[in-house]
Amino acid sequence: MPDVSTAVAYLRSPRAIRERCRALLELGLAGKLRHFRVDMERLPAVADYVLDVTRAAYPTLEIPVHSRWGHFDVGGVRRNAELDARLATLPPAERARAKLDLVVTSVLLDAGSGPTWKYVEPGGGTYARSEGLAVASFRMFMAGAFSSDPSQPLRADAEGLRRLSLEALARGFQVTEDNPLAGLEGRLTLLHGLGHALPRPGALHDQLAERGPRVPAAEVLGRVLESLGPIWPGRITLDGVNLGDVWWHPALGPDDSPEALVPFHKLSQWLTYSLLEPLEEGGITVTELDALTGLPEYRNGGLLVDLGVLAPRDVRLLTDAFSPGEEPIVEWRALTVALLDEVAKRVRERLGKTAEELPLAKVLQGGTWSAGRRIAAERRPGGTPPIRIESDGTVF
C-alpha cells in the first residue's frame, strides 16, 4: 500500500473485509491454515438448514434486514410502536435523530452477555442474550438514562453519556452477583467514548444528509467507522488512527505489516444495517446494501463449525476460551465472513432469488444467525457456541 492514509481508508472499507477474508478462505481450501480445515462439501447442508429456519420464521419470505430493531419487539411486545407514539409529535428529522440515539447506544451495549445473565422487564417477560440486552437498553433509553436534559428524555447526548456511572448501567441491566453480565466495564467505556466522539449519535443523520437523499452503504459504514473509531479500547493503530475491529493474521503477510491485517468491523456493520430504518424516516435512502459483508460473530461462525464446514485442527479450540485477537479466533471470523457469501449464494439459488431480491442482510436475518442459535441449542446445554470467546464487551 502506498501510504498509511490509503491503508487506513482501505481497512475501513467493506471491500477490504471481503478481500482479506476471502484470501484466508483460499488458504483454507488449500489446506494451508493452522487452525481450521474447510469442507465445502458440507456447505449445501448448511444452506438447507438455513432455508428450513428461514421458511419457519418467514413463510412468505418477507424478510426484514438483519438489524437491532427486530430485537426491540421480542416477546410480541410492541416496543417500537411505544417509541413511535412518544415521538409522534416531532418532525421527521428529529424522530430519526432520536431513533439513531437509541439504536447506536443499544448496538454498542450488545456484546455477548455471558451464559447466565437475564433481564426481567418490569411487568413483562424475562429475556436473555441479545434480546435481553436490547430490551434493557430500550428501557434505559425510554427512562432518559442517556440524556442530560430531563425535559428531553428520549435522546442520548454527550453529557448524558459521559456522566453515566457503572452503578447506573449495572442497575439498568439488573446486574448482581447472581446475575453477572460479561464485559460491563467495557460497555461503559464504549458509551463514555461515544459521549466524547459525537454531540449525540443522532448527529450521524445530519452528517449523512449533507451527502444528499441517497447514500451508499459503504459510505455510511465509513462515516460510522470514522466517527466511532476513537472509542474502541486498546486496538491496533496505524499512524495514530485506532482501527477498531481489525486484527493480525500471519498467513497474510509479515508480522506488523498492514498486509497482515484483517478487518471485520462487526458491531459497526451491524450498526450500519440498523441505521437504515431511522435514516429512511429522516429522508435518507441507503443504497448498495450488499456491499456490506456477513457478520463474523459466534452465531454465524458457530453454525459453520456445528455443521462441519469448519473443522478445528486442535480439539482445544472446542474446550478452551480465547480472546478476540488470538489467531484461531481471527481465522474463524475471517472464514465465517467469506463462507457467509457462499451460503447466501446457495440460499438464493434454491429460492430462485437474485442478490437484489434477497440481499445478504436478509439472509443473515432469515437466516444464518437464527440457524446458528438453533443448532447450538440442539448441540449444547444453554445454546452456548462451540468456540468460547472471552468477551470484554466491545467486539461480540
Side-chain angles (χ1 to χ4, degrees):
M1 293 179 188
D3 57 59
V4 173
S5 62
T6 301
V8 170
Y10 174 73
L11 290 167
R12 283 177 166 171
S13 71
R15 179 169 71 91
I17 301 170
R18 215 168 235 115
E19 289 178 353
R20 293 287 168 89
C21 293
R22 185 74 201 186
L24 282 171
L25 175 60
E26 294 298 334
L27 289 170
L29 293 173
K32 295 180 179 179
L33 289 179
R34 188 181 304 178
H35 303 287
F36 288 92
R37 291 186 294 273
V38 182
D39 185 352
M40 294 296 279
E41 291 186 1
R42 293 180 178 264
L43 206 59
V46 174
D48 289 340
Y49 192 88
V50 170
L51 269 174
D52 287 344
V53 171
T54 301
R55 287 190 170 114
Y58 303 99
T60 64
L61 298 181
E62 294 177 10
I63 307 167
V65 166
H66 185 61
S67 78
R68 188 54 151 172
W69 295 99
H71 289 163
F72 290 140
D73 281 348
V74 65
V77 179
R78 300 181 67 242
R79 298 179 191 86
N80 284 305
E82 177 186 343
L83 175 65
D84 285 334
R86 289 187 57 183
L87 297 177
T89 60
L90 299 177
E94 184 55 28
R95 285 201 301 272
R97 293 185 195 102
K99 288 186 174 184
L100 290 174
D101 288 342
L102 165 62
V103 81
V104 171
T105 51
S106 185
V107 166
L108 291 182
L109 287 165
D110 187 62
S113 65
T116 62
W117 177 82
K118 301 284 192 300
Y119 179 79
V120 181
E121 189 172 23
T126 299
Y127 306 100
R129 298 195 180 273
S130 198
E131 290 87 349
L133 295 167
V135 176
S137 56
F138 181 90
R139 288 300 165 205
M140 287 189 72
F141 179 83
M142 297 295 277
F146 309 127
S147 173
S148 65
D149 185 350
S151 70
Q152 298 184 74
L154 299 187
R155 58 182 283 157
D157 57 51
E159 183 183 346
L161 291 166
R162 290 199 301 262
R163 74 184 187 190
L164 186 69
S165 68
L166 187 65
E167 292 75 20
L169 187 61
R171 281 196 306 273
F173 280 80
Q174 302 176 353
V175 177
T176 65
E177 282 190 16
D178 296 327
N179 191 38
L181 176 64
L184 185 67
E185 292 84 358
R187 295 169 209 269
L188 183 66
T189 298
L190 289 185
L191 291 189
H192 285 170
L194 180 62
H196 288 284
L198 290 168
R200 62 183 290 194
L204 288 167
H205 170 271
D206 304 306
Q207 293 175 12
L208 291 165
E210 294 174 359
R211 303 291 297 159
R214 296 175 64 81
V215 183
E219 190 170 328
V220 178
L221 175 62
R223 183 56 59 96
V224 167
L225 291 172
E226 184 178 345
S227 299
L228 303 188
I231 78 175
W232 307 111
R235 298 289 165 74
I236 295 169
T237 61
L238 279 183
D239 199 28
V241 177
N242 188 344
L243 296 178
D245 188 9
V246 179
W247 313 88
W248 304 107
H249 195 290
L252 293 182
D255 287 349
D256 296 337
S257 70
E259 289 75 16
L261 289 171
V262 187
F264 296 118
H265 305 307
K266 180 261 176 180
L267 277 175
S268 296
Q269 287 204 91
W270 193 44
L271 177 54
T272 301
Y273 286 131
S274 300
L275 299 183
L276 304 183
E277 294 172 53
L279 287 175
E280 187 141 347
E281 186 164 355
I284 301 168
T285 299
V286 179
T287 62
E288 302 171 30
L289 188 60
D290 238 25
L292 302 182
T293 75
L295 302 181
E297 43 77 50
Y298 60 82
R299 291 303 181 202
N300 289 325
L303 173 71
L304 297 167
V305 172
D306 278 335
L307 291 181
V309 177
L310 296 179
R313 292 184 182 275
D314 188 331
V315 70
R316 286 176 295 181
L317 275 175
L318 301 176
T319 59
D320 296 352
F322 298 86
S323 66
E326 291 188 69
E327 188 180 319
I329 302 305
V330 177
E331 193 168 296
W332 178 39
R333 298 181 77 198
L335 293 170
T336 296
V337 169
L339 288 166
L340 285 171
D341 280 340
E342 298 299 322
V343 172
K345 286 179 191 174
R346 286 158 177 78
V347 168
R348 292 184 194 116
E349 287 170 1
R350 284 160 168 72
L351 292 175
K353 300 282 188 182
T354 64
E356 290 72 28
E357 293 168 329
L358 190 64
L360 180 59
K362 294 189 175 185
V363 177
L364 298 176
Q365 176 65 23
T368 58
W369 189 88
S370 298
R373 172 180 276 186
R374 191 174 93 175
I375 192 67
E378 292 173 359
R379 297 290 176 89
R380 288 169 297 280
T384 57
I387 295 174
R388 290 191 297 136
I389 300 162
E390 296 170 340
S391 173
D392 66 355
T394 66
V395 177
F396 290 90

